[in-house]
């Protein structure tokens, strides 16, 4: 299989499986329904799943990536998303809610597919998916920052946005240097 086709297949699985920031109804972890608005609860769940996905994907990038840029990006994903997850979990607990412990099932499928790839094959699947994932994450956090009801979650979204935007810049650079046509 040619590299662009493989990357498209993995990316297609991500898109068909739903956005990493979406959970199936009844899939949200939460201890006290109603403690947060629907917007804020959905944000906590989506951001929790997305962060878990980034950490797991970052571990794969460090182990399976072919370039130092991809490996470094993976390291950054682990560090930044673990830090954000800790803060998000604390804010959620303070409002009677729990954050997810793992990526959602669609994200797990993507991670399984990525775990079977190595080197350039991995990069050509991971890098474009990470670009799209960060576009989505920025949108998620912008929505919470503009429309959230909980002041602490709104502040968290606003504080985290510059980091997500930096991630998007980093992955855009890696994407522009990637040659998957060979």
């Amino acid at each position: 299989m040619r590299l662009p086709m493989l990357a498209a297949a993995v990316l297609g699985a991500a898109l068909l499986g739903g956005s990493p920031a979406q959970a199936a109804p009844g899939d949200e972890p939460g201890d006290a329904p109603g403690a947060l608005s629907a917007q804020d609860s959905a944000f906590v769940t989506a951001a929790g799943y997305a962060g878990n996905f980034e950490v797991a994907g970052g571990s794969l990038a460090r182990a399976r990536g072919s370039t130092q840029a991809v490996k470094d990006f993976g390291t950054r994903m682990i560090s930044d998303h673990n830090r954000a997850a800790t803060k998000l979990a604390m804010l959620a607990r303070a409002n009677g809610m729990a954050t997810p412990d793992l990526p959602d099932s669609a994200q797990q499928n993507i991670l399984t597919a990525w775990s079977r790839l190595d080197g350039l094959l991995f990069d050509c699947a991971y890098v474009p998916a990470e670009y799209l994932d960060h576009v989505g994450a920025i949108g998620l956090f912008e929505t919470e920052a503009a429309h959230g009801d909980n002041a602490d979650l709104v502040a968290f979204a606003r504080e985290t946005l510059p980091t997500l935007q930096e991630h998007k810049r980093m992955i855009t650079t890696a994407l522009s240097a990637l040659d998957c046509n060979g």
Side-chain angles (χ1 to χ4, degrees):
M1 180 179 266
R2 297 196 61 191
L3 291 176
M5 292 172 58
L6 180 59
V10 173
L11 197 51
L15 297 173
L16 290 174
S19 154
Q22 293 175 344
D27 207 11
E28 303 105 69
D31 301 323
L36 291 173
S37 70
Q39 164 65 37
D40 292 335
S41 293
F43 171 74
V44 166
T45 300
Y49 281 128
N52 294 334
F53 179 68
E54 292 303 335
V55 170
S59 290
L60 288 172
R62 282 181 20 184
R64 299 186 167 280
S66 71
T67 66
Q68 194 59 47
V70 170
K71 292 174 184 285
D72 290 347
F73 183 78
T75 299
R76 181 80 182 264
M77 293 303 93
I78 295 166
S79 172
D80 289 352
H81 286 282
N82 272 332
R83 186 173 28 261
T86 299
K87 185 162 188 177
L88 180 64
M90 184 179 67
L91 293 171
R93 264 192 311 278
N95 287 283
M97 189 172 176
T99 54
D101 293 328
L102 298 168
D104 70 23
S105 60
Q107 294 164 332
Q108 289 282 7
N109 290 337
I110 294 164
L111 292 165
T112 298
W114 286 348
S115 72
R116 295 180 180 133
L117 304 174
D118 224 353
L120 187 58
L121 286 173
F122 175 86
D123 293 358
C124 289
Y126 176 76
V127 171
E130 279 298 300
Y131 173 80
L132 291 176
D133 193 55
H134 278 85
V135 168
I138 290 168
L140 174 69
F141 278 71
E142 286 175 340
T143 298
E144 180 64 16
H147 303 291
D149 297 307
N150 181 283
D152 292 332
L153 289 172
V154 167
F156 168 75
R158 288 181 180 152
E159 292 165 7
T160 307
L161 266 168
T163 302
L164 295 173
Q165 291 162 338
E166 175 60 19
H167 294 169
K168 183 181 166 211
R169 281 190 289 279
M170 290 172 69
I171 204 65
T172 299
T173 300
L175 185 60
S176 67
L178 194 58
D179 181 11
C180 296
N181 294 319

